[in-house]
Amino acid sequence: MTTLFKPIVNGQALRRSEIPHLSFDDFRAEAVRLVRNGARVVQFFAYPDEGRLKMLAVLRTAELWAAGCDAPDVFDSLTADAEPFHLFEREMAEQYGLVPQGHPWLKMVRYHPNSTGRPDVFGNDYTQDIPGNYPYYAVKGQEIHEVAVGPVHAGVIEPGHFRFNCIGERVLHLEIQLGYQHRGVEHLMTASPMKRLPIIAEGIAGDTSVGNALCLAQAVEALTGTAPDFGAHIIRTIGLELERIANHTGDLGALSGDVAFLPPANYFGRMRGDFLNLSLLLCGNRFGKGLVRPGGTRFSLPNDLRRTMNERIGVLRTQTKHVLDLLFTTSSVQSRFERCGVVSRDDADRLGLVGPAGRASGLAYDARRCFPTEYYPRLDIPENAKTTGDVHARATIRAEEILQSVTIITALLNGPVDTDCVVESQTDYALSPASFVVTVNEAWRGELSHALLTDGEGRIVRYKVKDPSFHNWNGLSMALRDTGISDFPLNNKSFNLSYCGYDL
């Protein structure tokens, strides 16, 4: 493919001088052209560099492509010509005061003042209650009514606001507003000692501890020339797949509960605990915290533990098949799942949906297959794409991935695994100066990416995190279009997106 962007490799560092630095007009034209021709946005962000602001984009086709430019204070929005840039541009507007003229939906992302001292793009006074200033979209008409849900919910759940515009029970539009718990994660990654970074990464989203720790570890390894041993690749893959199974199992249980089919809801809830306990056996933490570190893993997999895990997962495989059969052969369940919350392939493609949400709408992309790391180059990851784009498809994707992940783990546990564990005294690293690396992994919700830029002294000047939920929240909005409002809980569970992964 002929392009002004440079091909880069997932998890491999390069000098920042090797990234094409284009004029903004060339950058915009080429980025829009690539996306219109099927490329998708992995990263697009602004960063400070020697007193100036710059932009950098990473796009994906069958390869990863990168290019940058100086960031104009005011520029013609890329979103106006290519929708997948829309949320990235809103983020840059909020973080750095950059104005994407012509952006069709320029609103706040996380309610925090930008770090440049420039005037606020949205006209907000940050001494006031910012969430109250959010300009919600409103459908006009005498018959229209609004239903507001959150940000405080009736359960142990993170804050997020859902604003429904309805005519009777029919939802015309759902707007989702997040940003109630901005934690400054990306700033912490540039300001904290190196030994703290894995701990911060594991806390980005607690249900994706292994995924985020893996993205960080791979970035640090690329910038230090560190190569984990073969056994570490196996253990990391097991940890990531256990995280996938536990969350998919929990989601299917929640979906069962939302259609009042309690036997699988209870079974899946118990089995989720059993899968979490396998992570506990592996590293002493049910959510996999402390397992992955730059250079490898902090825990080995001795033969007695390997055999115990293999026995337990064998029992769970049989139980899981039985409960999945119960769920997917019950006609009352299927009647609720089928044709509920449909997101078309075209809408999913325009929104850039990833993971199970994208695959349910026909987008076969899976980073484990397309940009494999760790042990995945040796595995045959199926496409799993569906065509209906409904709750049934999103549930089926999870069911299939549970069984596939069990098969992967079983295969990896069949033989001895030898690794030299990373110790805490080895966690201070000197990063390559003036360098860049992007890491992409298939977390359980989909494409998870970290990007890291260093200055001439090897200090981190920009650390960018992109959770799959950053793409997928708008998919939930589309799923509710022209749907009964009573279907919201079911659709919400079928996506099960992250608040904290979005509220960085």
Side-chain angles (χ1 to χ4, degrees):
M1 182 174 70
T2 303
T3 175
L4 298 175
F5 277 55
K6 178 183 176 64
I8 63 174
V9 178
N10 183 22
Q12 288 191 16
L14 69 159
R15 304 288 293 179
R16 286 173 56 184
S17 59
E18 297 178 53
I19 303 172
H21 188 76
L22 311 176
S23 69
F24 173 76
D25 288 343
D26 286 345
F27 173 85
R28 183 190 188 281
E30 187 66 356
V32 167
R33 183 185 74 84
L34 288 171
V35 169
R36 280 183 164 181
N37 285 307
R40 285 296 163 256
V41 186
V42 176
Q43 295 276 9
F44 182 34
F45 58 89
Y47 64 96
D49 182 51
E50 297 180 354
R52 304 184 66 178
L53 285 176
K54 294 184 177 180
M55 293 177 177
L56 195 151
V58 178
L59 309 180
R60 63 169 166 86
T61 56
E63 300 178 83
L64 295 175
W65 304 86
C69 66
D70 289 333
D73 292 348
V74 180
F75 61 93
D76 289 337
S77 168
L78 282 70
T79 306
D81 295 314
E83 295 95 326
F85 290 104
H86 82 282
L87 199 53
F88 294 93
E89 287 190 324
R90 286 171 57 185
E91 184 180 53
M92 285 192 289
E94 183 171 64
Q95 291 180 341
Y96 293 101
L98 303 175
V99 182
Q101 282 189 323
H103 192 290
W105 200 249
L106 188 58
K107 298 186 177 187
M108 294 169 285
V109 176
R110 301 187 184 100
Y111 303 123
H112 66 96
N114 69 69
S115 58
T116 63
R118 298 185 181 195
D120 183 82
V121 174
F122 309 100
N124 289 311
D125 175 3
Y126 283 94
T127 64
Q128 304 300 317
D129 178 20
I130 301 304
N133 297 336
Y134 184 82
Y136 289 102
Y137 177 79
V139 178
K140 302 298 182 183
Q142 193 170 20
E143 301 86 358
I144 305 301
H145 66 100
E146 290 187 353
V147 178
V149 179
V152 179
H153 299 276
V156 182
I157 185 174
E158 293 166 285
H161 182 82
F162 302 89
R163 183 70 61 96
F164 299 85
N165 281 261
C166 302
I167 180 166
E169 295 292 308
R170 177 177 156 221
V171 177
L172 300 177
H173 176 72
L174 165 62
E175 188 160 359
I176 301 169
Q177 182 52 33
L178 307 172
Y180 292 89
Q181 52 178 351
H182 177 67
R183 297 164 292 152
V185 167
E186 293 177 347
H187 173 71
L188 281 174
M189 299 298 275
T190 66
S192 302
M194 284 296 300
K195 65 182 181 181
R196 289 285 303 168
L197 299 192
I199 299 169
I200 297 171
E202 289 174 336
I204 292 171
D207 56 19
T208 317
S209 298
V210 177
N212 279 299
L214 185 60
C215 282
L216 166 74
Q218 291 170 349
V220 172
E221 288 158 5
L223 293 171
T224 57
T226 306
D229 58 41
F230 187 68
H233 288 315
I234 293 175
I235 295 171
R236 286 171 163 189
T237 302
I238 291 172
L240 191 62
E241 292 304 314
L242 283 174
E243 187 168 78
R244 191 182 322 279
I245 295 170
N247 283 292
H248 283 350
T249 303
D251 285 350
L252 290 175
L255 286 169
S256 303
D258 272 355
V259 296
F261 192 35
L262 297 186
N266 294 326
Y267 286 133
F268 281 129
R270 191 268 299 167
M271 288 189 296
R272 175 178 179 269
D274 290 336
F275 285 117
L276 289 172
N277 285 338
L278 289 175
S279 293
L280 179 69
L281 280 176
L282 185 61
C283 66
N285 185 279
R286 282 158 51 91
F287 296 99
K289 292 186 176 182
L291 175 63
V292 178
R293 288 294 182 268
T297 63
R298 290 185 60 236
F299 297 89
S300 62
L301 188 55
N303 287 332
D304 56 344
L305 174 58
R306 180 174 56 82
R307 285 189 287 267
T308 299
M309 291 181 66
N310 215 351
E311 290 170 4
R312 291 195 184 185
I313 205 164
V315 172
L316 287 170
R317 180 207 293 266
T318 302
Q319 295 176 354
T320 301
K321 286 181 176 179
H322 288 324
V323 183
L324 288 174
D325 183 64
L326 175 63
L327 179 66
F328 285 95
T329 59
T330 301
S331 58
S332 61
V333 172
Q334 302 315 298
S335 68
R336 290 286 286 116
F337 283 8
E338 291 173 347
R339 296 177 297 281
C340 180
V342 174
V343 180
S344 70
R345 182 191 172 99
D346 183 60
D347 285 339
D349 198 30
R350 288 171 178 269
L351 292 169
L353 300 191
V354 295
R359 291 191 282 277
S361 295
L363 306 180
Y365 171 64
D366 186 320
R368 294 175 297 172
R369 186 182 65 257
C370 300
F371 303 106
T373 64
E374 303 303 325
Y375 195 82
Y376 293 110
R378 299 168 180 84
L379 298 174
D380 182 19
I381 303 297
E383 289 192 351
N384 286 339
K386 307 301 175 187
T387 58
T388 53
D390 53 6
V391 170
H392 186 272
R394 292 187 283 273
T396 302
I397 291 286
R398 284 171 166 77
E400 292 178 353
E401 291 189 359
I402 288 170
L403 297 178
Q404 290 159 5
S405 294
V406 167
T407 299
I408 290 171
I409 293 172
T410 300
L412 296 179
L413 290 173
N414 274 339
V417 179
D418 297 317
T419 186
D420 292 325
C421 293
V422 175
V423 297
E424 290 299 329
S425 60
Q426 299 172 321
T427 56
D428 229 352
Y429 303 96
L431 304 181
S432 298
S435 297
F436 169 71
V437 63
V438 64
T439 59
V440 176
N441 285 286
E442 186 73 14
W444 67 275
R445 285 191 180 93
E447 179 189 80
L448 176 66
S449 177
H450 289 203
L452 197 160
L453 284 158
T454 61
D455 65 12
E457 304 298 321
R459 295 183 295 260
I460 300 174
V461 295
R462 187 72 164 97
Y463 196 105
K464 190 74 197 75
V465 176
K466 197 242 8 219
D467 188 272
S469 298
F470 194 75
H471 293 286
N472 288 350
W473 274 111
N474 284 307
L476 176 59
S477 292
M478 291 303 299
L480 265 292
R481 289 275 176 94
D482 204 27
T483 297
I485 193 170
S486 59
D487 283 336
F488 171 68
L490 184 60
N491 279 285
N492 191 22
K493 295 291 196 317
S494 75
F495 280 85
N496 191 15
L497 302 176
S498 177
Y499 298 82
C500 58
Y502 183 102
D503 288 354
L504 299 174

